[in-house]
């Protein structure tokens, strides 16, 4: 029971409720009462008879027939024993009155006729019962009898009805219900008649929920039914219910038990064909598997968590009147049922000792059903409970008066040591309740911070409760990403803060969290990267401010280092790019080199630690048909030098020679055989027109790529054949610009259909992954988010629109974009990757939608087309 704090007061002898008004204290009180429940709660078993019958508007059956339905009426009344009779008899009828005037005036007289008939059928046992409640709604009728010796144990009787038939309101369908308390156990009996016809299962499910929602009884103040939870004293119950609790009307599930019976009208889900033999042989299991009610219960569509006894009787519908033969026009079905529900957490339960139908009664097209139930009930010694409750309050009050909440922290400092971008670091801090009362703790906000912790810090749990002597571990996790890295990278903010650990009704404790954040090019603003000429790891806050004021910018050295390495050791060696994931441990070394401005060492990074000539020779051992590619002048190609020469002064100030790290400046570039025919006539080659070839050769390229990766390190590589992104499997058709050449490019675009046939190297793949990670880690993407919509829309229009969308791009961003496009064009032209793969990977790295933009499934495709337009626009940006 969840209890909300209020300002109400307990009875005079108890302390003020504000002392026990918080949910944490309420839980402690209920836990203490539960441990002593045997001192004030006594358990009993209630024997109840539940009967249901759709009488089809017929006159009451004779007394003998009704006696067979009741089952407890002895033939020899001289040997009648009161203890053998059920303590409660609950009977429910449907279609008691089907006359038209009953629908209009709702003044059926059939209930009186049937009541008299039932009492006659009881014989002399009727003098052992008294009628305590009844409720009628047109054709639905429920009545409750209590055995005389237990009648005084029944209290709080109320009745209600809900119509949900015609127009959702008329009482031809719906339910009538009676609620009462037996001893101190609240019970609810619901008799319902739901929609007919096998196809209306959804309507029956809906009517069940409608009845549950609309069925309410008179206010709790008018009833004397006990509380649902016998542990809860009245004073505590009022606190839990909140203001106005006394006037809230009880519903069906405000009881410990709900017994639901009637003509629920659920049929067999499928046409079972001829089932007469199956029924005659008593093989009901196969048919019950098609029962719509059980399917609805299993799928939690209706009557979820209700229970039913095993069915060992024939379907109760539909019979030819006056016979025991089924109507051939209708499928037999178990329409008439008895179900029950037990409140979660209730210590008791219900056991069914008999569940049967009476085949010999033939006055209706339904057979009557009965169930005998043993219900676990209890009585509460309220005076003893109140006394124990006050003892518990006094115990809690003594703790609160004599002690204040105190705690012990394992340390006042949480030190994360070195913290790197994108790598979560965790530390644990022990917290112990060192006092004598439960403590409620939470980390509080401060005037300078709206949250209880900095954005880069998460605490689990950030609040909770500890009983005396109990300890807990608080886990602190620091994670720096592109959202939180800007101030830390530029040293505007230190990774240090003081947290306030607050104890409810106690003191505050101060916890210092600190770490040594290592500035990184990852997560750093592009505005800073284009101005930096020193290693970011060594720069102070003053250095960052000074470089921003320099007025000079160039392509960031970190981007240049990565692209230069890829050009020399991937593009010029015939390795594929952007298809495979890299090695995580190696990626950390690469990123560390970028942060410290150290050269990328090929001997450390490359998979093969051999001189360049031997390396190339080894890559073609299994493919002797590979050929050499010449440059523009017919000389052995030097792609790196030609690439960086093509962008002119873009790399001025980067601080290195494009060929300074290359051992391959005079080496021949190797490509798969079969490309020489295309290279022989460059003017006629356009990789954009070869997408169909790329698709047709995809399976073979994957197989070759898998073989090339067999020597890679799979321990941290994530599997040797793990692609960086899923290979493109289908080309886009119908794009009028898909046949355009790369404008201004001296060479054709990539021979895309040979890309995956080329080998791949773990080191090269790792550097390529680092390049993509670097672009994705920018707090503001290379193409700012404010231009995202314009760029995506341009991707669906034309190349001219794509160029126009970049007119407002800042000069430093434009400079970097031109440089990257030049590198990517070179990689495409030399067959290291395809234009489609570049668009697929780099569209997500260069473009990022604003948070407030609604998700559009076509954005990704149009972003790729936008980048394809830029690749074709060499010399036009």
């Amino acid at each position: 029971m969840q209890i909300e704090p209020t300002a109400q007061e307990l009875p005079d002898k108890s302390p003020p409720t504000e002392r026990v008004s918080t949910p944490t204290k309420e839980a402690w009180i209920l836990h203490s009462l539960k441990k002593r429940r045997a001192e004030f709660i006594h358990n009993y078993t209630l024997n109840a008879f539940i009967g249901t019958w759709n009488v089809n508007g017929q006159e009451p059956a004779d007394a003998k027939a009704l006696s067979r339905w009741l089952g407890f009426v002895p033939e020899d009344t001289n040997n009648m024993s009161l203890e053998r009779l059920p303590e409660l008899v609950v009977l429910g009828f449907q279609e008691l009155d089907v006359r038209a005037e009953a629908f209009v005036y709702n003044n059926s007289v059939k209930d009186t006729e049937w009541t008299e008939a039932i009492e006659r059928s009881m014989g002399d046992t009727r003098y052992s019962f008294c009628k305590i409640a009844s409720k009628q709604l047109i054709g639905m009728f429920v009545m409750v009898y209590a055995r005389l010796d237990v009648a005084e144990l029944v209290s709080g009787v109320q009745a209600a009805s809900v119509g949900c038939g015609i127009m959702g309101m008329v009482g031809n369908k719906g339910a009538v219900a009676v609620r009462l308390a037996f001893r101190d156990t609240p019970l609810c009996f619901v008799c319902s008649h739901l929609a007919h016809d096998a196809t209306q299962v959804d309507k029956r499910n809906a009517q069940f929920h409608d009845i549950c929602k609309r069925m309410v009884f008179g206010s709790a103040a008018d009833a004397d039914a006990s509380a649902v939870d016998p542990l809860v004293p009245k004073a505590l119950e009022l606190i839990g219910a909140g203001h106005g609790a006394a006037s809230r009307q009880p519903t069906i599930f405000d009881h410990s038990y709900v017994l639901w019976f009637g003509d629920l009208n659920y049929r067999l889900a499928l046409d079972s064909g001829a089932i007469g033999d199956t029924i005659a042989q008593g093989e009901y299991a196969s048919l019950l598997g098609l029962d719509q009610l059980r399917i609805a219960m299993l799928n939690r569509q209706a009557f979820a968590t209700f229970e039913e006894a095993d069915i060992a009787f024939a379907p109760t519908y539909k019979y030819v009147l006056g016979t025991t033969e089924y109507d051939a026009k209708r499928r037999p079905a178990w329409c008439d049922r008895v179900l029950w529900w037990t409140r979660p957490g209730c210590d008791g339960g219900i056991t069914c000792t008999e569940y049967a139908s009476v085949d010999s009664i033939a006055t209706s097209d339904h057979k009557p059903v009965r169930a005998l139930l043993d219900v676990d009930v209890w009585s509460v010694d309220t005076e003893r409970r109140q006394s124990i409750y006050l003892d518990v309050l006094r115990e809690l009050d003594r703790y609160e008066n004599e002690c204040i909440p105190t705690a012990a922290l394992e340390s006042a400092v949480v030190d994360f040591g070195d913290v790197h971008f994108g790598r979560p670091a965790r530390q644990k801090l022990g917290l112990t309740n060192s006092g004598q009362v439960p403590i409620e703790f939470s980390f509080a906000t401060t005037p300078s911070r709206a949250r209880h912790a900095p954005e880069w810090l998460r605490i689990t749990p950030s609040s909770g409760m500890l009983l005396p002597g109990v300890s807990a571990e608080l886990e602190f996790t620091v994670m720096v990403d592109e959202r939180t890295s800007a101030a830390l990278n530029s040293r505007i903010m230190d990774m240090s803060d003081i947290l306030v650990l607050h104890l409810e009704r106690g003191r505050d404790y101060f916890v210092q969290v600190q770490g040594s954040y290592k500035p990184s090019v990852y997560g750093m603003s592009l505005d800073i990267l284009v101005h930096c000429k020193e290693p970011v790891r060594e720069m102070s806050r003053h250095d960052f401010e000074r470089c921003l004021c320099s007025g000079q910018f160039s392509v960031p050295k970190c981007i240049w280092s990565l692209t230069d390495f890829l050009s020399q050791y991937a593009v010029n060696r015939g390795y594929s790019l952007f298809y495979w994931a890299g090695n995580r441990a190696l990626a950390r070394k690469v990123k560390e080199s970028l942060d410290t401005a150290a050269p990328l060492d090929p001997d450390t990074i490359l998979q093969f630690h051999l001189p360049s000539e031997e390396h190339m020779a080894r890559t073609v051992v299994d493919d002797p048909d590979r050929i050499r590619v010449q440059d523009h002048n017919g000389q052995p190609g030097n792609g790196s030098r030609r690439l960086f020469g093509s962008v002119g002064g873009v790399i001025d100030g980067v601080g290195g020679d494009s060929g300074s790290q290359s051992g391959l400046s005079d080496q021949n570039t190797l490509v798969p055989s079969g490309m020489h025919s295309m290279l022989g006539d460059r003017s006629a080659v356009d990789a954009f027109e070869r997408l169909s070839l790329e698709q047709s050769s995809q399976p073979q390229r994957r197989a070759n790529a898998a073989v090339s990766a067999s020597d890679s390190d799979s321990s941290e590589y994530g599997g040797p054949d793990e692609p960086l992104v899923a290979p493109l499997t289908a080309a886009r058709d119908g794009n009028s610009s898909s046949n355009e050449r790369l404008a201004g490019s001296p060479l054709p675009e990539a021979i895309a259909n040979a890309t995956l046939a080329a080998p791949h190297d773990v080191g090269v793949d790792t550097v390529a992954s680092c390049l993509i990670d670097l672009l994705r880690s920018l707090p503001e993407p290379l193409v700012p988010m404010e231009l995202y919509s314009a760029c995506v829309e341009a991707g669906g229009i034309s190349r001219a629109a794509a160029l126009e969308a970049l007119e407002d791009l800042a000069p430093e961003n434009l400079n970097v974009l031109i440089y990257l496009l030049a590198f990517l064009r070179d990689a495409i032209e030399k067959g290291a990757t395809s234009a489609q793969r570049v668009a697929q990977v780099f569209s997500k790295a260069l473009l990022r939608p604003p948070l407030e933009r609604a998700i559009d499934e076509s954005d990704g495709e149009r972003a790729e087309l936008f980048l394809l337009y830029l690749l074709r626009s060499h010399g036009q940006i």
Side-chain angles (χ1 to χ4, degrees):
M1 175 178 180
Q2 186 175 356
I3 300 174
E4 302 293 339
T6 71
Q8 299 184 42
E9 297 183 354
L10 296 175
D12 296 338
K13 294 184 179 180
S14 63
T17 60
E18 61 183 3
R19 304 291 294 275
V20 290
S21 59
T22 66
T24 301
K25 294 177 184 177
E26 305 297 355
W28 186 85
I29 291 171
L30 292 179
H31 177 72
S32 300
L33 289 173
K34 188 171 184 178
K35 291 193 297 184
R36 301 180 61 179
R37 70 189 311 276
E39 299 181 38
F40 58 88
I41 294 180
H42 307 285
N43 297 315
Y44 304 90
T45 299
L46 164 67
N47 181 254
F49 175 94
I50 307 294
T52 178
W53 190 12
N54 183 323
V55 299
N56 194 28
Q58 304 299 317
E59 295 298 322
D62 60 72
K64 287 187 177 181
L66 293 177
S67 295
R68 291 197 300 273
W69 175 32
L70 299 179
F72 57 81
V73 179
E75 295 182 3
D76 185 3
T77 57
N78 293 327
N79 296 325
M80 184 180 65
S81 173
L82 191 65
E83 290 73 19
R84 294 183 179 179
L85 300 178
E87 295 170 289
L88 282 183
V89 176
V90 184
L91 300 175
F93 298 89
Q94 305 83 44
E95 296 189 11
L96 199 70
D97 194 346
V98 295
R99 297 173 303 148
E101 54 266 31
F103 285 75
V104 178
Y105 300 106
N106 193 22
N107 62 349
S108 174
V109 296
K110 295 287 187 177
D111 56 342
T112 303
E113 296 177 8
W114 277 91
T115 300
E116 293 174 351
I118 289 294
E119 292 181 353
R120 284 195 303 270
S121 70
M122 289 183 178
D124 290 342
T125 61
R126 60 183 168 181
Y127 302 114
S128 301
F129 292 94
C130 65
K131 183 179 177 182
I132 60 174
S134 65
K135 184 67 176 178
Q136 177 264 335
L137 178 63
I138 303 182
M140 292 173 287
F141 179 52
V142 63
M143 52 184 175
V144 182
Y145 290 84
R147 208 172 65 192
L148 288 177
D149 60 324
V150 297
E152 62 181 10
L153 301 177
V154 178
S155 62
V157 180
Q158 291 179 317
S161 63
V162 168
C164 56
I166 301 172
M167 297 184 295
M169 298 297 292
V170 179
N172 61 314
K173 294 294 187 290
V176 288
V178 173
R179 75 182 295 256
L180 55 85
F182 188 86
R183 297 187 185 271
D184 291 310
T185 308
L187 306 168
C188 183
F189 301 95
V190 182
C191 171
S192 68
H193 189 194
L194 304 183
H196 65 284
D197 195 271
T199 62
Q200 298 202 71
V201 59
D202 291 336
K203 187 172 183 179
R204 287 188 281 275
N205 295 340
Q207 287 177 343
F208 162 78
H209 292 288
D210 190 33
I211 292 170
C212 294
K213 180 180 179 181
R214 294 170 50 203
M215 181 75 76
V216 293
F217 300 88
S219 67
D222 299 332
D224 192 27
S226 296
V228 173
D229 191 343
L231 295 175
V232 182
K234 287 294 184 182
L236 194 58
E237 183 183 1
L238 291 177
I239 295 172
H243 294 290
S247 60
R248 189 178 71 83
Q249 292 179 294
T251 63
I252 289 177
F253 294 103
D254 286 332
H255 302 83
S256 294
Y257 301 107
V258 176
L259 295 102
W260 197 305
F261 49 93
D263 180 6
L264 305 186
N265 252 325
Y266 285 92
R267 313 298 174 88
L268 296 181
L270 300 174
D271 188 351
S272 52
I275 62 175
D277 293 341
T278 304
I279 296 174
Q281 296 171 10
E283 297 176 355
Y284 306 132
S286 59
L287 298 180
L288 287 169
L290 303 175
D291 179 51
Q292 292 176 342
L293 175 57
R294 294 198 170 183
I295 294 173
M297 295 169 67
L298 183 64
N299 294 330
R300 305 183 69 85
Q301 296 168 325
F303 295 97
T305 70
F306 275 76
E307 300 177 71
E308 182 182 21
D310 293 336
I311 295 178
F313 52 87
T316 59
Y317 175 84
K318 177 183 183 177
Y319 288 85
V320 178
L321 291 179
T323 73
T324 58
E325 300 294 330
Y326 288 107
D327 187 339
K329 297 179 181 179
R330 298 288 183 90
R331 279 200 311 273
W334 285 274
C335 293
D336 308 279
R337 313 288 275 269
V338 177
L339 311 175
W340 65 86
W341 173 86
T342 304
R343 185 178 183 84
C346 178
D347 289 341
I350 294 179
T351 302
C352 183
T353 60
E354 182 185 5
Y355 192 28
S357 67
V358 184
D359 293 338
S360 60
I361 301 179
T363 58
S364 170
D365 56 355
H366 289 254
K367 297 300 182 184
V369 172
R370 66 169 177 254
L372 286 177
L373 306 175
D374 288 338
V375 184
D376 294 330
V377 295
W378 51 82
S379 64
V380 179
D381 185 340
T382 55
E383 292 184 1
R384 179 60 179 156
R385 180 180 64 183
Q386 186 69 6
S387 176
I388 294 174
Y389 172 60
L390 294 178
D391 287 344
V392 171
L393 289 186
R394 279 190 287 268
E395 182 181 6
L396 180 60
D397 191 55
R398 183 172 65 253
Y399 282 137
E400 291 181 334
N401 289 335
E402 295 177 357
C403 309
I404 62 171
T406 58
L409 286 170
E410 187 178 35
S411 173
V413 178
V414 178
D415 194 339
F416 294 97
D418 291 344
V419 177
H420 298 266
F421 178 89
R423 297 190 213 168
R426 296 178 176 86
Q427 291 291 340
K428 292 185 177 180
L429 178 66
L431 174 65
T432 302
N433 182 351
S434 58
Q436 302 180 42
V437 295
I439 64 170
E440 297 176 74
F441 67 89
S442 61
F443 285 89
T445 60
T446 65
S448 61
R449 186 180 59 235
R451 294 182 69 255
H452 64 268
E455 289 289 341
W456 40 263
L457 181 65
R458 295 292 180 271
I459 308 171
T460 307
S462 60
S463 62
M465 172 194 166
L466 292 177
L467 294 177
V470 177
S471 300
E473 278 193 338
L474 309 181
E475 184 175 78
F476 294 74
T477 303
V478 60
M479 176 65 176
V480 180
D481 55 21
E482 64 274 8
R483 297 178 301 107
T484 59
S485 61
L488 292 169
N489 266 331
S490 57
R491 301 190 187 274
I492 296 176
M493 177 189 299
D494 293 329
M495 183 169 281
S496 177
D497 209 327
I498 295 178
L499 309 180
V500 180
L501 179 62
H502 174 70
L503 299 187
E504 187 70 24
R505 296 185 61 211
R507 55 165 289 194
D508 291 340
Y509 296 81
F510 299 95
V511 180
Q512 181 175 352
V513 291
Q514 61 189 29
S516 177
Y517 179 71
K518 301 300 182 182
S520 173
V521 296
Y522 289 83
M524 186 165 287
S525 170
L526 184 65
D527 293 339
I528 296 177
L529 290 177
V530 297
H531 291 91
C532 283
K533 301 190 182 300
E534 305 173 30
V536 296
R537 187 66 57 79
E538 301 174 3
M539 294 178 64
S540 65
R541 177 175 178 178
H542 176 70
D543 294 333
F544 283 111
E545 294 174 350
R546 181 164 44 83
C547 77
L548 285 173
C549 299
S550 66
Q552 300 178 357
F553 62 85
S554 60
V555 172
K557 186 173 182 179
C558 52
I559 295 180
W560 175 84
S561 298
L562 294 170
T563 54
D564 181 64
F565 185 95
L566 294 175
S567 180
Q568 295 182 57
Y569 299 105
V571 175
N572 288 343
R573 291 191 177 190
Y575 285 114
S576 63
L577 283 179
F578 311 124
Y579 284 90
W580 306 93
N583 181 282
R584 297 185 183 93
L586 182 57
R588 292 182 179 179
K589 295 180 181 180
V590 172
K591 293 177 180 180
E592 184 69 16
S593 298
L594 298 177
D595 294 339
T596 59
L600 300 181
D601 183 9
D603 291 333
T604 301
I605 296 175
L606 294 180
Q607 180 180 4
F608 298 100
H609 304 284
L610 297 171
S612 57
E613 295 84 6
E614 295 179 44
H615 182 95
M616 288 187 293
R618 180 170 179 176
T619 60
V620 297
V621 166
D622 299 326
D623 190 3
D625 296 329
R626 298 169 68 86
I627 64 171
R628 299 178 184 274
V629 179
Q630 296 179 335
D631 65 5
H632 303 290
N633 301 317
Q635 299 300 321
N638 182 354
S640 174
R641 185 168 296 171
R642 181 167 53 80
L643 162 67
F644 295 114
S646 68
V647 294
V650 170
I651 59 170
D652 291 343
V654 167
D657 189 320
S658 63
S660 62
Q661 297 182 18
S662 173
L664 302 176
S665 58
D666 295 323
Q667 299 300 329
N668 296 327
T669 301
L670 296 173
V671 297
S673 62
M675 292 172 57
H676 58 282
S677 61
M678 289 183 281
L679 290 171
D681 184 10
R682 294 189 180 98
S683 62
V685 177
D686 190 341
F688 288 110
E689 299 174 352
R690 301 183 183 274
L691 290 176
S692 59
L693 295 177
E694 182 178 23
Q695 297 175 40
S696 63
S697 61
Q698 188 80 4
Q700 182 61 40
R701 286 187 277 123
R702 287 200 181 199
N704 293 340
V707 173
S708 301
S710 61
D711 295 331
S712 63
D713 176 15
S714 61
S715 61
E716 287 197 38
Y717 178 57
D721 297 331
E722 178 183 345
L724 180 65
V725 292
L728 191 65
T729 57
R732 297 185 179 89
D733 297 327
N735 183 2
S736 61
S737 59
S738 63
N739 294 323
E740 297 181 28
R741 299 280 312 280
L742 284 178
S745 175
L747 285 177
E749 193 209 7
I751 299 91
N753 46 308
T755 300
L756 277 180
H760 76 96
D761 182 277
V762 173
V764 167
D765 296 332
T766 300
V767 175
S769 298
C770 290
L771 174 61
I772 297 170
D773 288 345
L774 178 61
L775 296 173
R776 289 177 175 173
S777 72
L778 294 173
E780 180 74 17
L782 184 59
V783 178
M785 286 185 280
E786 62 185 21
L787 300 181
Y788 179 83
S789 297
C791 294
V792 168
E793 291 174 4
I797 302 176
S798 66
R799 179 168 55 182
L803 296 176
E804 183 180 354
L806 295 178
E807 289 182 352
D808 295 330
L809 192 63
E812 52 267 34
N813 293 57
L814 183 60
N815 195 37
V816 177
L817 180 60
I818 293 173
Y819 174 80
L820 278 174
L821 291 174
F823 162 71
L824 295 174
R825 288 192 191 99
D826 187 72
I828 293 170
E829 291 166 0
K830 292 186 176 181
T833 187
S834 71
Q836 283 65 39
R837 178 47 54 86
V838 167
Q840 185 180 24
V841 174
F842 280 85
S843 63
K844 299 179 179 65
L846 302 180
L847 294 169
R848 193 185 310 157
L851 295 177
E852 64 274 9
R853 179 181 172 88
I855 298 177
D856 189 334
E857 294 182 357
S858 65
D859 281 0
E861 180 178 349
R862 291 189 293 173
E864 293 176 23
L865 291 173
F866 172 78
L867 193 57
L868 286 173
Y869 285 138
L870 297 186
L871 289 171
R872 299 187 184 103
S873 303
H874 180 55
Q876 299 182 27
I877 301 180

